[in-house]
Amino acid sequence: AGQGLNPRSYAGFGPLAPHLRFVGRSSRRLARNTFAGMARWQAGLEHRQVFLGRIVDIGAELFAMAACCSRAELLAKQDPARGRSARELAGAFCRQSRERVRQLSDDLWHNTDAGDRRLAGKGLDGDHTWLETGIIDISEGTGPWIAEPSPGPSQHKNQRRSYR
């Protein structure tokens, strides 16, 4: 259900309409994935914090996309010249956000969570304490973490590459 598949839905948002359709479709997909996780792990879902974190991150991205498009459209109605710029920025944000949503959605079910959890358990059991050898303990004050500042401009040649 919903207007996500209708190519004429959200037509009032002009060039931002495809992003809002994506938000609608992705929201329904997020709900299905959430319920699939609830069905799969039931009471154990509370121990799947990384899965839940991804669910929250997807929801936050979708909300930000919808809010960004809505704000750009409001600006376009108030001031068309400023609105063109706002739509351009909103479009760029939404394209980037789509990629984050896609990656997080893929990571919901295809990830290294089980292995990471086992490895973290071994770390808590003390299996990897050898790795701590040679680490500077900041509480002992055995070494500087930040170099001492030197007054005045740098004496080194500027290595920055020009962007344009």
Side-chain angles (χ1 to χ4, degrees), residues 24-141:
R25 289 190 310 271
S26 297
S27 296
R28 286 188 291 281
R29 186 177 312 112
L30 178 62
R32 288 191 303 271
N33 282 322
T34 303
F35 282 111
M38 291 167 62
R40 180 175 179 178
W41 294 300
Q42 297 175 5
L45 183 60
E46 69 185 49
H47 300 292
R48 303 292 177 162
Q49 293 298 307
V50 180
F51 176 85
L52 293 171
R54 288 187 192 108
I55 292 286
V56 169
D57 289 346
I58 293 168
E61 288 288 344
L62 297 176
F63 172 77
M65 288 176 71
C68 187
C69 291
S70 179
R71 176 72 174 161
E73 193 57 32
L74 174 68
L75 291 174
K77 287 179 182 173
Q78 291 174 345
D79 180 4
R82 203 164 106 189
R84 280 190 294 280
S85 177
R87 281 179 172 165
E88 183 180 11
L89 291 170
F93 172 78
C94 287
R95 285 188 296 277
Q96 295 167 6
S97 189
R98 279 178 180 233
E99 292 306 313
R100 289 188 293 270
V101 168
R102 285 187 185 114
Q103 186 61 54
L104 287 164
S105 296
D106 289 346
D107 290 347
L108 279 174
W109 303 107
H110 306 288
N111 54 56
T112 61
D113 292 353
D116 294 347
R117 186 176 175 158
R118 282 190 299 275
L119 186 61
K122 288 182 176 183
L124 291 172
D125 291 341
D127 289 359
H128 304 293
T129 55
W130 61 268
L131 191 57
E132 298 172 4
T133 305
I135 293 178
I136 297 172
D137 186 355
I138 192 169
S139 65
E140 295 176 1

